[in-house]
Amino acid sequence: MSFGLYYHIPYCFSRCRYCDFYAAGAWRGVPDAYIDALVAALGRHVLPGRPDTLYFGGGTPSLLTPAQCARLIQAAAPKPGAEITLEANPETVTLASLQGYRAAGVNRLSIGVQSARDSQLRTLGRPHTAAQARQAFALARQAGFANISGDIMLALPHYTRAEFDETLELIRQGGACHISAYLLKIEPGSAFGRRPPAGLPDPDQAAGFYLYAVEQLTRAGYRQYEISSFARPGFEGRHNRLYWDCEDYLGLGPAAHSCLGGKRFFYPADTAAFIAGADPVPDGGCGAEDYLILQLRLSTGLDLAEYRRRGGAAFTPHQLAFLERCAQAGYLTLTPRRLTLTPLGMIVQNSILEELI
């Protein structure tokens, strides 16, 4: 069994208008007291072993100094060859900081681009420009990073296929070997949720943008392996795969979630409480239903024998008839061994799951 460790870095320059993730407010750096708290929290857990993956997520992890990053990696003591990922915002990185992260042990960088159009970035509330995104990729390569991911957000206000093409080209030319492509979701707790922007695509248009993205990413050499994840061969993200395969992972920081030994828990969304040493809150277990939900995110789909081994119930005649209709409509493939959603099926994954759970 593999084990992953997640460090949540909740600090940001400012909040993007689509974001409803927990954040600690506007900061220009990460307080050392927060690093102390992460290290202390790590020491309070009984781990299943040294981590195979380590992920710095946020927030804006690239607000960490290289020295802070090095301290957290040393505390984690990851296995040799572990995948160590740091999310980075383009406006926060320099050649010196990226070189420092590499020296600390980071070997995978995830750069938040979202769009290649400055007007769109301003609409989203992103504090960087397209030129800064291009520069971030160039600096990452100069610093020695060979495993680089880039984020694209789809179905944005007044979106067009041309905007996607421009963003894909920026990331591809930047040397990315992995791309995460997400549909914009209007979250109730975000600024967009309180005041939706004009020009949002309708659901059918958004689905069309998603299918176009899958097609163009495939043509560009990025194979889809999960609903929102595309990679050149050998560069699939190992850390998130732990989540989808229901492996053990520990999340540290306010609002961070974990699953260890089949038990889920999370830290309250309160930075001050976390720094003060708050305990995590139990959140139930991880069973066959979780496995079904998470495996259907993957292009490899659900292994039905493994699903039954984990306690999954056999599909009823009604469910099998439903799945057969979905297969005929092009939403999935079903064999005696495996259930797999097509890209078209991934768009309506929630509706399919409602019928199966």
Side-chain angles (χ1 to χ4, degrees):
M1 294 286 288
S2 297
F3 165 59
L5 176 63
Y6 174 88
Y7 284 130
H8 183 56
I9 310 299
Y11 301 92
C12 293
F13 279 168
S14 59
R15 181 180 285 276
C16 300
R17 295 192 179 102
Y18 55 83
C19 179
D20 76 336
F21 293 157
Y22 174 74
W27 292 75
R28 294 284 168 175
V30 180
D32 284 332
Y34 185 72
I35 307 301
D36 295 339
L38 286 172
V39 173
L42 177 62
R44 290 193 290 270
H45 288 278
V46 177
L47 306 181
R50 296 170 65 186
D52 301 89
T53 66
L54 174 57
Y55 196 100
F56 291 87
T60 310
S62 49
L63 292 179
L64 290 166
T65 67
Q68 290 174 326
C69 184
R71 184 182 173 202
L72 291 172
I73 292 173
Q74 289 166 6
K79 291 180 182 177
E83 176 192 86
I84 303 177
T85 303
L86 184 134
E87 293 180 351
N89 282 10
E91 77 283 359
T92 64
V93 297
T94 65
L95 179 58
S97 69
L98 291 169
Q99 289 173 331
Y101 297 143
R102 281 287 293 143
V106 176
N107 53 30
R108 184 172 183 267
L109 203 65
S110 179
I111 300 175
V113 177
Q114 316 311 348
S115 175
R117 294 188 175 179
D118 288 346
S119 58
Q120 189 72 268
L121 293 170
R122 288 192 293 271
T123 297
L124 297 174
R126 299 288 294 180
H128 71 271
T129 64
Q132 287 175 312
R134 292 187 183 90
Q135 179 72 354
F137 279 102
L139 293 176
R141 296 196 309 272
Q142 189 176 348
F145 284 96
N147 192 347
I148 307 173
S149 180
D151 290 352
I152 300 178
M153 192 167 281
L154 311 171
L156 300 172
H158 304 290
Y159 204 62
T160 63
R161 291 184 174 188
E163 181 174 348
F164 172 83
D165 292 342
E166 292 166 20
T167 309
L168 172 57
E169 188 63 10
L170 185 159
I171 293 175
R172 188 191 66 78
Q173 287 188 348
C177 47
H178 183 283
I179 293 178
S180 297
Y182 303 92
L183 286 166
L184 171 66
K185 184 179 180 182
I186 304 299
E187 302 287 358
S190 68
F192 277 177
R194 293 187 292 273
R195 182 176 295 179
L200 287 172
D202 63 34
D204 287 342
Q205 291 171 324
F209 287 128
Y210 174 79
L211 294 174
Y212 179 76
V214 172
E215 178 185 355
Q216 295 305 105
L217 285 161
T218 301
R219 287 183 178 178
Y222 298 94
R223 183 186 68 86
Q224 184 176 28
Y225 68 97
E226 188 264 345
I227 287 179
S228 302
S229 304
F230 305 78
R232 299 199 186 281
F235 288 96
E236 295 82 3
R238 289 160 49 191
H239 183 82
N240 284 350
R241 186 65 194 247
L242 295 178
Y243 302 155
W244 304 322
D245 286 342
C246 290
E247 301 271 16
D248 283 342
Y249 59 91
L250 173 65
L252 298 176
H257 286 247
S258 305
C259 185
L260 286 177
K263 296 181 179 179
R264 295 188 181 277
F265 53 91
F266 66 93
Y267 283 94
D270 184 331
T271 301
F274 180 78
I275 291 175
D279 291 325
V281 178
D283 194 28
C286 180
E289 183 176 297
D290 301 88
Y291 188 73
L292 167 67
I293 293 169
L294 293 167
Q295 288 286 288
L296 285 184
R297 296 182 62 92
L298 300 171
S299 61
T300 51
L302 174 71
D303 182 314
L304 296 174
E306 178 63 17
Y307 173 57
R308 289 191 294 271
R309 190 190 71 78
R310 290 172 178 258
F315 295 138
T316 66
H318 172 81
Q319 289 173 324
L320 287 172
F322 167 77
L323 291 173
E324 288 171 2
R325 291 195 300 273
C326 288
Q328 292 170 1
Y331 292 116
L332 56 86
T333 60
L334 177 64
T335 71
R337 293 185 176 184
R338 192 167 291 274
L339 170 61
T340 306
L341 300 187
T342 65
L344 186 63
M346 288 178 177
I347 297 171
V348 294
Q349 183 205 36
N350 287 344
S351 297
I352 294 172
L353 288 171
E354 283 177 7
E355 193 70 28
L356 299 180
I357 295 176

